[in-house]
């Protein structure tokens, strides 16, 4: 049994007031699904097995290049962050693992592991950082890291990634996620091809250090922090990387990293088809890499992504993409946003499970576009909250995580321990 | 000697009035370039060897889904179109080949070949059409062609492409361009993966029929006429196709077929690096696939594309992408637009030849972003019109193609022969 | 009592099989809403009063500039179209009026009125057409209509609009919708300011002819069929027009006419605030003016628009925007698409009625962004289908309009009378 | 005579090596223009009178939310910044005024004025900052400033703007620029209308404090730092603000603040037409508000904007929009980028002066789209660098500002005085 950060009885108390209603809603939903030939308990079982990782940096308040406005009780270090992650997992019962960012989360690996064990958490993919300069770093990443024109800078970036693998090995991680800010701000600043060749060469060095049972995820992004070109600009380049590197290399899809209007669910399908979908950084966006809460802007798009994932899950023997939230919480309590966002991911998964795939297949074969799309809509429109809440309840979590969290006064309590942080300008000045 | 569609002496007369000025401008430009270590005559020689193909459909007035407003003297058939193409080539001396669209341009191959020979024209890539239903066609392409769920429809589309190859063989073409409208208008309408599998299977059949000395070009497009998804949505999918098909398969880049803000020159660089750039459909656009005249909206972007092409030309042993215009001329005389657009393509090529690549390389190595980008800008800003005009003059074309064309009264003359066409609604009703 | 196009008893038969289930779902939904303090019957009553107009052109199959693939049983003229509209209204009980497009729908006004009366239909806004040339028209709109440089062409366009008003007066319409294709395809082609001045001058002529109890709606659109600039490019210009014209002038919002990523619901809010929201052309889109079925791509966006409308309905004394579908049905049976789309509009309205606005206001005041957005999400997630179906049932329509329609064999029956139409290329050739 | 920051003789020395060539190029350009009926000296005179302001924050290295990588010799305070601005003006002779940002540049007004006088500089528009929290500020702007739900916070923001006016009065500024980050990150977080009402009310308070000979500029921006909605999201809302405020209120256009694909030059034309164009924040962008160097990405778009400005300059009696650079220099020496960018602004202006407006008007009237657009292209293609350089030379600046600047070793010299700044993460952590 792991340690509970806050009193489990407060969850139980909150649940008590909601349980009867939940059971009633679960029952009527079950009745409706039953009519459609779907056994609600089987859905529930699948949902109960689904998890999504929390990024350590997600529990702190984010910022923009213009400013950062901290909240109260901000975590001071990775151990505070792990506690916040444990709270999220305790309430949602859906987020048992944490993804670390090095060097931000650098600490004694044994202490990391012990703390995580004690809190009932594990470690998801490791994240390297070569998009900002760490203090005392020999070579600056101002003009690039893994693709820098200078060999020593590339070497430093390679070694940093290898260090991330080493730390990961010590704490039980099984994957490395590599996102770089390399690119250019001016036409001509970088030679596209030579820059990419340098990147590939450097990544091959990193890949060599990857244990056999690890995966390496590369992440594409259209722009920011480079504003004319980025080295890994889209899934096409990302796919090429994964092919060049080898069988342990996969593409990571961040929902906010694409050009306007792009059909992301189709990219997901293509990567699945060619065996290179590694996983996701979930978030939502309206304009660019807005890093808003998952499903906050376009919940149907999220559902359509999961429609592809469930289809693959049913058809492929060994399909297990990584799921991670990656958001910037600028105006909400990060713990609340992460709990709601985890629920949104599970909601999209649950809805996608409800799609009548046999009927859909028939409509597709017959080019009955209207009924095909209504098949998806019918599943999407079904309010699956009772399933999500029942899963949480049965696993010991909260029927209403935000309600229970607010009732607990957790944020106020940690604010007494964790000193207030000053806000200020962002990167621009 | 081939036949001239209109009196060469009218070109000579027009040139006479402009030649002295041209020679003066060529001289002063030569002087400026010489200072920068560039021999203007060497540039001129390269430009003189550069050509771009005319699409047969380009000489007719285009339209939108809302309406088509024909001009006067519209070509009635492929033979009228070839005459118009010959005019363009006579005046610009840069467009010696024509790209046919089947079944629109279907005619006796011998007559096609003889007419082209007589007019001094050759045939560029063949274009198949499975995005609209030809009269009497057994199976409709309403729900797709090469990726249709129905095997007979796919077979019909395959056979149509093979027929295009056959016609092409008879008239001396060496390439087939395949663009399809297949996709879907609703989430769920098509199963992305199965649809793409069907497409690949069908394309492999087409590929089998491809002669050894031919190339096959596939063209990606983000949307239109399908508005939720297209089968070949971007260069990533296009690259996968070319890999699946084989060494004779290449990707065609239409400048207007990308998502907003996408860095097209980078896509060009990636396709070059991985040996899969087949060629271009040149045009310009502000919003979607607007099919505006090349360089009309963003001439610097066109230059940046050619910056990649010239770089490749200098570094790769066997680099010969296909160049074709593909525009919709809704408010201009198509002949004029095509002449100006061909000049824009040559202009971008010429400007890119002026880039001081040794200096640029030094700036890139040193991360001197400002001087690197100024290297490009300096070349772009140099007004190379005197080189373009001199090339035309020396090859027997017009110093000022539009001026000479208008002076000739060609359009009015053909309007007497070619009957007026009624306008009307576009596709919507 | 008006005439039913197809046997009402077939609707009743279809309903019979579904009624018990509907009543059960309505009951459990009512129970859930009751817990939240919402009386389901009050919601139902409001929904029952909500209608959306059908565009006459919507019942025909649409097309793109590449092709048009007609369906079977296409309406031959406005009287066939009215019959199809009557079917939609009979089944959905939500679409009692039809919006005509002149000259496409030109016919004897008395016959129009009598037919509509007989079918239980009325006439919504009149639509003029100056974006394509009608046969025999004196002046072409190739280079513009109301903003054309030629005074006679502008005059012709003004007179056409006045004629639309005259027809509308004869058949009981109360509004004129003006959308023009005027703009330019090249930088410099048109002088932006003079072009807009000409447009305003012409529109003032039209406005003068507007009866006192009419409204005039102008519609903005970013691009297409003009691809560099359009005269009424966005809501800013549209607002200026409505101010210049006067109190009977309002802005019409077509959901697909905006730049990528634009926050449409905010534009709606601004137009409401400044008293100039005229109404909507509902549809959905992923890329440009895709004219897909309403809610097919981003149902949450549609809900957010209705969130503004319901907010205004509650706060403004005299708020009655026009609602019309405007879609292009390329791959579905238009009748089916229109029925489903009308339901989507009502669904968004219904969901927006469920928002707890008092709670929302409290969260907004307290900057509780998370709970504010969850207020919307909770309403959106509630599956209101039982309310929509119950409204239809109680008004004499179909619980499942598509099911009842398909069961009736209507399309096959009219296909026997209405001859098949040949498909073909779209506007491009 | 004002003080020169670095030895004028070093400029003269650099010029000496380039002058003969410049005179030769100016002469041949003059000859070409003369043929077209344009007197080069008249153009030169107009260009000599054109200036663009430097933002004080522009001389520091910018950053992104991911990181900031400082350069060497970064200015430590506003007085260092003024010295850097003086260098820019000394070399370019085109940037005699500086725009301050409060509180970043807060200092004793007398000392500011004296320093500026000594350096030959004046003060352009004042910029307030309510998008980040200054140290010790009573109310946080986390959830908004001028539109905040809390009256005290709004009051604080109003007072800050009034303070900016007061400082501006003391140092000779004549305008206030107001850009706010207010908006929302979640649907529902803010009530669009009430938020805008609060903003207008607050701005009216600021407006009251505006001296009679001042102008107030409001700036629209589509997104960032708010990622779902911004209060002043586009020119439509911006126009409404300027109307609500009064005759001294104008709209400021930042070229990077629009939706993808938007026709910015048309917005400029509309604002001119309705008397509300206040001025510009010049920069360039490919994706969002990238704040790249002016003209670095799409120089033709910049030219098209100036095409509107020159047209207005010729037609309107009292047209004097404000011109300011607003860029983020992340990978270049800010002084170099600002010099080059100022030159780009002047280049676009110069090119636009070369447009043959009489001919253009004729083509527009005749709907000769091809010749109309070629009129613009011909002007754009003319390399006007000799005019720009001659203007600089004759005003005492550098023929080649970057060359002369690098030769002077200015950056290295100030780096000895100004201590190195540590880089680090941006706003995100």
């Amino acid at each position: 049994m792991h340690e509970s950060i806050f009193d489990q009885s407060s969850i139980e108390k909150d649940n008590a007031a909601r349980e009867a209603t939940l059971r009633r809603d679960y029952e009527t939903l079950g009745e409706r699904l039953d009519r459609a030939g779907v056994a609600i308990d089987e859905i529930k079982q699948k949902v109960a097995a689904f998890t999504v990782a929390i990024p350590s940096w997600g529990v702190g308040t984010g910022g923009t290049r213009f400013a950062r406005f901290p909240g109260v009780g901000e975590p001071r270090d990775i151990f505070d962050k792990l506690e916040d992650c444990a709270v999220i997992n305790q309430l949602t019962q859906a987020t048992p693992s944490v993804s670390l960012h090095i060097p931000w989360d650098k600490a004694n690996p044994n202490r990391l592991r012990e703390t995580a064990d004690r809190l009932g958490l594990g470690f998801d993919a490791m994240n390297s950082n070569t998009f900002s300069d760490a203090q005392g770093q020999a070579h600056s990443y101002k003009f690039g890291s893994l693709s820098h024109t200078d060999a020593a800078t590339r070497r430093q970036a390679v070694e940093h990634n290898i260090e991330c693998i080493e730390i990961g090995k010590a704490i039980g991680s099984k994957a490395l996620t590599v996102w770089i800010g390399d690119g250019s701000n001016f036409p001509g600043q970088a030679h596209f091809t030579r820059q990419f060749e340098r990147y590939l060469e450097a990544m091959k060095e990193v890949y060599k250090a990857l244990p056999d049972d690890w995966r390496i995820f590369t992440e594409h992004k259209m722009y920011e922090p480079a504003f004319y070109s980025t080295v890994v600009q889209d899934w096409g380049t990302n796919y090429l990387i994964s092919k060049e590197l080898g069988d342990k290399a996969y593409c990571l899809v961040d929902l906010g990293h694409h050009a306007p209007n792009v059909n992301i669910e189709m990219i997901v399908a293509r990567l699945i088809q060619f065996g290179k979908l590694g996983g996701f950084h979930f978030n939502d966006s309206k304009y660019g890499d807005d890093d808003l809460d998952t499903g906050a802007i376009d919940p149907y798009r999220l559902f359509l992504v999961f429609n592809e994932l469930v289809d693959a899950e049913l058809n492929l023997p060994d399909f297990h993409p990584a799921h991670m939230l990656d958001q910037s919480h600028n105006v909400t309590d990060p713990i609340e946003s992460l709990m709601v966002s985890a629920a949104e991911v599970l909601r999209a998964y649950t809805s996608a499970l409800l799609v009548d795939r046999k009927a859909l297949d028939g409509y597709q074969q017959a080019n009955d576009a209207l009924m095909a799309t209504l098949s998806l809509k019918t599943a999407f429109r079904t309010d699956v909250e009772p399933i999500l809440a029942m899963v949480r309840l049965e696993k010991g979590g909260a029927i209403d995580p935000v309600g229970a969290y607010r009732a607990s006064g957790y944020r106020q309590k940690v604010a007494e321990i964790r000193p207030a942080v000053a806000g200020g300008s962002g990167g621009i000045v």
Side-chain angles (χ1 to χ4, degrees), chain A:
Chain A
M1 267 302 291
H2 58 78
E3 180 189 335
S4 292
I5 290 297
F6 67 78
D7 198 4
Q8 181 70 16
S9 69
S10 76
I11 297 179
E12 282 156 21
K13 194 178 146 202
D14 198 83
N15 283 349
R18 307 179 198 270
E19 188 171 338
T21 298
L22 169 59
R23 294 207 178 276
R24 172 73 180 141
D25 289 345
Y26 186 82
E27 179 194 22
T28 58
L29 174 59
E31 183 191 321
R32 281 186 65 183
L33 294 179
D34 190 61
R35 268 190 244 138
V38 174
I40 193 169
D41 285 344
E42 283 173 24
I43 301 293
K44 189 183 64 179
Q45 218 170 327
K46 288 191 174 186
V47 176
F50 190 100
T51 62
V52 55
I54 299 292
S56 67
W57 60 96
V59 292
T61 297
T64 70
R65 68 178 167 128
F66 294 99
R68 195 174 89 85
F69 301 99
V72 296
E74 297 265 350
R76 294 159 297 180
D77 57 21
I78 180 58
F79 299 102
D80 279 0
K81 290 178 188 173
L82 287 174
E83 295 205 349
D84 288 359
C85 290
V87 168
I88 295 168
N89 191 39
Q90 192 179 350
L91 287 158
T92 65
Q93 293 294 325
T95 61
S97 62
V98 179
S99 198
L100 298 191
H101 215 295
I102 304 300
W104 299 341
D105 298 329
K106 222 167 151 173
N108 180 295
N110 289 338
R111 195 179 154 205
L112 284 172
R113 194 161 196 163
E114 283 163 19
T115 307
D117 281 350
R118 180 169 50 83
L119 297 169
L121 297 171
F123 291 105
D124 204 73
M126 303 299 296
N127 295 269
S128 60
N129 176 340
T130 62
F131 53 81
S132 68
D133 287 349
Q135 232 168 342
Q137 184 178 305
H139 306 280
S140 170
Y141 296 136
K142 180 168 189 165
F143 298 106
S145 59
L146 290 166
S147 77
H148 200 288
T149 51
D150 174 54
T153 311
R154 294 199 300 276
R155 164 71 11 217
Q156 175 184 282
V158 167
E159 277 163 11
H160 168 68
N161 275 283
I162 294 175
E163 186 196 9
C164 291
I165 296 173
E166 291 307 315
I167 298 172
K169 280 156 71 175
I171 61 174
S173 173
K174 291 291 175 199
L176 174 68
T177 295
V178 181
W179 173 70
I180 57 167
D182 296 37
S184 70
N185 273 4
F186 290 88
Q189 177 185 341
H191 190 282
F192 290 144
T193 301
R194 284 178 217 143
Q195 189 180 40
F196 191 40
E197 283 167 353
R198 291 190 299 263
Y199 169 84
L200 285 171
E201 192 190 281
M203 280 297 285
K204 284 174 186 171
E205 292 300 309
V206 175
Y207 188 82
K208 275 188 206 154
L210 203 70
D212 281 352
D213 62 342
W214 276 51
R215 288 185 291 173
I216 187 165
F217 300 135
T218 49
E219 197 174 345
H220 56 274
K221 183 171 182 182
M222 194 197 200
Y223 72 99
E224 195 208 21
F227 291 108
Y228 166 64
S229 70
T230 60
V231 174
V232 192
Q233 91 275 24
D234 61 12
W235 78 274
T237 291
N238 206 353
Y239 172 80
L240 289 170
I241 293 165
S242 68
K243 288 300 283 184
E244 292 286 315
L245 292 185
D247 288 349
K248 294 179 288 185
Y250 293 88
C251 303
L252 193 82
V253 177
D254 182 306
L255 297 185
H257 287 190
H258 302 85
N261 301 345
V262 158
N263 189 322
I264 298 173
E265 54 270 29
M266 190 165 192
I267 291 174
V268 171
R270 288 285 184 272
L271 288 173
I272 291 171
Q273 184 176 359
F274 287 81
K276 284 299 190 185
L277 179 72
F280 292 89
H281 275 185
F282 289 115
N283 52 57
D284 211 339
S285 58
K286 187 159 179 65
Y287 305 102
D289 186 28
D290 308 334
D291 278 332
L292 301 180
D293 286 13
T294 303
I297 300 298
D298 189 350
Y300 193 48
R301 178 169 56 186
L302 183 67
F303 165 81
L304 292 174
V305 166
F306 270 96
N307 180 47
E308 297 302 322
L309 297 180
V310 167
D311 182 88
E313 188 176 285
L314 294 171
N315 290 304
L316 298 177
D318 185 36
F319 183 69
H320 53 103
H323 308 117
M324 194 176 93
L325 297 173
D326 181 13
Q327 306 176 161
S328 182
H329 310 108
N330 301 350
V331 297
T332 56
D333 181 323
I335 289 176
E336 295 184 5
S337 268
L338 288 163
M339 291 193 301
V340 170
S341 299
E344 285 302 300
V345 171
L346 268 71
R347 186 186 315 280
Y349 174 64
T350 310
S351 300
L353 287 172
L354 297 186
V355 172
D356 182 342
R357 287 181 193 277
K358 210 183 141 193
L360 176 62
D361 182 56
Y363 297 135
Q364 289 173 342
Q365 284 299 322
N367 293 303
D368 188 344
L370 190 104
M371 289 308 295
T373 209
L374 286 184
S375 300
L376 300 187
K377 276 289 191 68
T378 300
F380 175 70
R381 282 203 296 257
T382 305
D383 187 351
V384 298
E385 183 62 29
I387 300 176
L388 301 178
M390 188 61 82
V391 166
R392 285 192 295 265
L393 175 66
E394 293 183 359
K395 290 176 84 173
I399 293 176
D400 177 355
V402 172
Y405 169 77
R406 290 194 172 189
S408 78
Y410 175 80
R411 183 60 71 190
Q412 292 73 25
K413 276 178 224 161
V414 296
E416 287 167 23
I417 304 162
R418 305 175 184 173
V421 180
S425 291
I428 54 164
V429 288

